Amino acid sequence: MTDAKTSDIQHVEDMSREFSKMEKPVMGTARLLTEGEIVLIPRPSTDPCDPLNLPLWHKWTILVIVTLFSVGGVLLASSVGVIMQTLEAYYDYNPRVSDLSLYPTLFMGIGNVVAIPLAHAFGRRPFFLLSCLLMVATCAWAAWSPTLEQHIAARDVMSLAAGQSEALCPIIIQEIFFLHEHARSLTWFSGLQSIGVGVLMIASAYLTDSLGWRWWYIVFGIVNLVVLVLAFLFVVETKYPRSISVLAGDIDPSELLDPAISIPEKITKSTRLPLDYTNYSRRSFVHDLRPWQGHNNWRLAIEAWKQIAVVFWFPNVFWLMLCSGAFLGIYVLCTTVFAGILMPPPYSFSATSLGYVMGSQTFVGVIAIPILGYGNDLVVKYLSRRNGGIIEPEYRLLSGIIPFLSLIIATVMFGKAGSHPDQYSWAGIAVSMNVIFFAYVGMVVTSFTYVISSYPTRSDSLLVVLCACRGFISFGISFGVNSFVKEKGFEGAMNICAIIVGILAALGIPVYVFGKSIRRMTQRYAMD
């Protein structure tokens, strides 16, 4: 007996020494595979009201509804350029007409900075419904605006609501899907958004040409009203309290209170626990209809604003913010100048033909979903399997290689075609611009999935930094586009842009190699 007891003590001491040698867990590093199955991260609770426990049809219904909202928001706030020729003629070529497209990007960023921390404190549903309602109201305001000044004001307020398509919608999506589904779900969101905006930009050119620009707002105001009704019925509250251990897929200490209940260390589809209707209330359709589900903590909003200021300086996040701003800035530059290249001879495009050029974004959506969504998830699973089932968020960055290469090549081609229209086909402009848009969508998906995986406790603040800052950068670029292109020429300006992207791509190498060290260094600032 003594020998057995001594052996047990020795075994415990050996285990303790081994444990002390183990590397402390780093936020974002988690076990994705166990016994050949995918671990469900975050760890779902047994609460029927947990949004992770929603049936699959309901999750995809929510994704489609928030995508419809984002289509309307992006189209109305950011794609007014497709009808700009009509608006300039209506307002007698008043130079202030450019404000209709200039200021929305600024106000979309402001909308993110203000609304997301409040949604963190009071819940997602009330602010999403408020944004839908504001879109309907401002569409009516813009449609019946008597002056250019009121038209500009209506679009600025509209953009505060439309900005929620950039951060709040992805937040809602990532809260109802598991970690291994994030890339595909966010790419479906971005892909369907691209397809919807592309088709509607083509329709917009014909709509305004036939009925006038006011009907553009009326028609899409009705569409937004339908989205509001659908959101009221189906977009439930997705904010749900989770501990750090649960966000990593581990057991919550509260689950161990009853030793008689066997709790699996990791939850997979086959080991998922049944819903507990004894200790939790059933999900009620009538209860879900309440616009506000009871979240009420002003302190969380204040904390969120503080967190935004902190995560902004994380080296990996700061790099992705610069990348997102550069990708969007180059796309904004191209959409600002492409009409001036294609409408004069030798191309002589009509205003409606420009709608087809912008509408080609539909193909971007079709291509992006399988490559950037499912492809990203497959690569992550493969690398995690080779790493003993452990996922590292840096695996998500590998999908950024395609956007970087695409952007550099397309940017150079756009510059050459713009400077030498006599030597290049119109496709040098049209195709290059849509490849640039593809690269931008790819960077959005890459940056979102990486930061959410790296710092799951700070997803709200991180998306605000990425979305708001790229909007501010885009706004700044809009002021200097014409003088920049005039001074350097299309080829010179785009070559400079390509060089900047190349430098950012090179900076991504140390971010990937030392990513875990960066997360270890910064995680204490991301702990609740």
Side-chain angles (χ1 to χ4, degrees):
M1 179 68 70
T2 304
D3 291 341
K5 186 174 182 180
T6 302
S7 177
D8 288 342
I9 294 173
Q10 183 65 41
H11 176 69
V12 171
E13 290 177 349
D14 290 343
M15 291 294 292
S16 299
R17 281 192 294 269
E18 288 298 320
F19 182 78
S20 64
K21 294 177 184 178
M22 290 176 62
E23 184 179 21
K24 292 183 178 180
V26 179
M27 183 177 289
T29 300
R31 177 163 292 280
L32 182 65
L33 298 168
T34 180
E35 297 181 358
E37 289 191 271
I38 295 176
V39 177
L40 300 182
I41 305 172
R43 185 183 180 93
S45 70
T46 55
D47 183 359
C49 293
D50 185 340
L52 287 174
N53 292 327
L54 287 169
L56 194 58
W57 71 265
H58 199 161
K59 291 183 178 183
W60 283 95
T61 299
I62 292 174
L63 187 147
V64 170
I65 293 171
V66 299
T67 301
L68 289 174
F69 168 80
S70 70
V71 167
V74 171
L75 178 73
L76 291 167
S78 302
S79 304
V80 71
V82 75
I83 65 168
M84 189 57 71
Q85 301 289 329
T86 302
L87 292 171
E88 288 177 346
Y90 181 85
Y91 288 113
D92 296 325
Y93 297 95
N94 187 323
R96 287 207 62 194
V97 172
S98 61
D99 291 351
L100 294 171
S101 62
L102 177 61
Y103 285 98
T105 55
L106 172 64
F107 280 89
M108 289 176 76
I110 294 173
N112 282 312
V113 173
V114 174
I116 301 304
L118 294 176
H120 182 62
F122 299 101
R124 323 302 189 193
R125 179 172 164 83
F127 284 91
F128 184 70
L129 293 178
L130 179 62
S131 298
C132 293
L133 181 62
L134 198 57
M135 287 295 294
V136 175
T138 51
C139 278
W141 182 10
W144 281 282
S145 55
T147 63
L148 175 59
E149 288 70 24
Q150 285 209 33
H151 190 178
I152 294 171
R155 288 187 54 77
D156 291 344
V157 178
M158 176 190 294
S159 299
L160 293 174
Q164 307 320 310
S165 65
E166 296 188 317
L168 183 59
C169 290
I171 288 172
I172 291 173
I173 291 170
Q174 64 96 13
E175 287 178 334
I176 60 177
F177 287 97
F178 294 104
L179 179 67
H180 69 279
E181 302 170 322
H182 279 175
R184 72 187 73 169
S185 58
L186 288 173
T187 307
W188 270 105
F189 168 73
S190 297
L192 291 175
Q193 181 192 87
S194 302
I195 294 171
V197 172
V199 170
L200 292 178
M201 278 196 291
I202 296 173
S204 296
Y206 287 97
L207 174 64
T208 54
D209 188 57
S210 302
L211 301 176
W213 63 266
R214 294 184 187 274
W215 275 97
W216 189 60
Y217 290 109
I218 294 172
V219 169
F220 292 112
I222 295 172
V223 172
N224 280 307
L225 180 60
V226 174
V227 172
L228 172 62
V229 174
L230 292 174
F232 180 75
L233 294 175
F234 296 108
V235 179
V236 300
E237 179 57 64
T238 61
K239 180 178 170 59
Y240 191 84
R242 304 187 197 279
S243 65
I244 295 177
S245 59
V246 167
L247 288 171
D250 296 326
I251 297 176
D252 189 283
S254 63
E255 295 183 81
L256 301 175
L257 294 178
D258 189 352
I261 301 177
S262 177
I263 303 294
E265 183 180 353
K266 298 289 183 180
I267 297 290
T268 64
K269 286 185 179 180
S270 63
T271 61
R272 194 166 182 175
L273 300 174
L275 299 182
D276 182 357
Y277 295 104
T278 302
N279 299 308
Y280 297 102
S281 301
R282 290 179 176 270
R283 180 176 286 279
S284 166
F285 178 72
V286 175
H287 181 271
D288 285 343
L289 289 179
R290 289 166 48 186
W292 179 51
Q293 299 296 322
H295 296 284
N296 184 6
N297 193 339
W298 273 104
R299 183 183 61 80
L300 291 179
I302 296 172
E303 285 298 319
W305 280 307
K306 291 180 180 178
Q307 292 164 11
I308 291 171
V310 172
V311 300
F312 176 88
W313 296 107
F314 288 6
N316 45 0
V317 175
F318 191 80
W319 172 72
L320 284 171
M321 179 201 69
L322 293 178
C323 292
S324 297
F327 278 55
L328 178 60
I330 292 172
Y331 177 65
V332 168
L333 191 157
C334 293
T335 56
T336 302
V337 303
F338 87 103
I341 300 173
L342 293 179
M343 293 189 76
Y347 302 128
S348 303
F349 271 51
S350 64
T352 52
S353 297
L354 294 178
Y356 283 101
V357 175
M358 296 287 289
S360 298
Q361 291 180 12
T362 54
F363 298 107
V364 171
V366 172
I367 295 171
I369 291 171
I371 295 178
L372 302 176
Y374 289 89
N376 187 323
D377 284 335
L378 287 174
V379 169
V380 168
K381 289 177 190 176
Y382 172 75
L383 293 175
S384 299
R385 188 173 289 111
R386 293 192 59 182
N387 193 31
I390 304 299
I391 182 176
E392 301 288 357
E394 284 69 38
Y395 298 160
R396 299 287 187 185
L397 295 178
L398 293 176
S399 64
I401 295 174
I402 296 175
F404 270 113
L405 292 177
S406 301
L407 184 63
I408 292 172
I409 294 171
T411 299
V412 172
M413 179 55 67
F414 188 96
K416 288 184 176 297
S419 292
H420 308 286
D422 55 324
Q423 300 177 21
Y424 291 87
S425 163
W426 58 267
I429 297 297
V431 175
S432 296
M433 189 173 74
N434 282 283
V435 172
I436 290 170
F437 180 72
F438 167 80
Y440 166 65
V441 171
M443 179 49 61
V444 169
V445 174
T446 298
S447 59
F448 280 11
T449 54
Y450 173 72
V451 298
I452 291 171
S453 299
S454 298
Y455 308 101
T457 59
R458 295 290 184 266
S459 59
D460 293 22
S461 303
L462 290 163
L463 294 191
V464 170
V465 169
L466 293 178
C467 296
C469 290
R470 76 179 182 220
F472 297 150
I473 292 172
S474 172
F475 175 72
I477 289 174
S478 299
F479 271 108
V481 165
N482 291 330
S483 58
F484 180 50
V485 172
K486 185 176 180 179
E487 179 183 351
K488 303 295 183 182
F490 288 113
E491 188 170 6
M494 300 310 287
N495 284 344
I496 291 173
C497 290
I499 292 171
I500 292 172
V501 174
I503 294 172
L504 290 172
L507 291 174
I509 297 174
V511 172
Y512 180 82
V513 173
F514 301 106
K516 191 168 185 175
S517 299
I518 294 172
R519 287 185 286 117
R520 183 182 296 110
M521 178 183 67
T522 55
Q523 70 176 357
R524 66 186 177 124
Y525 302 105
M527 306 286 280
D528 286 327

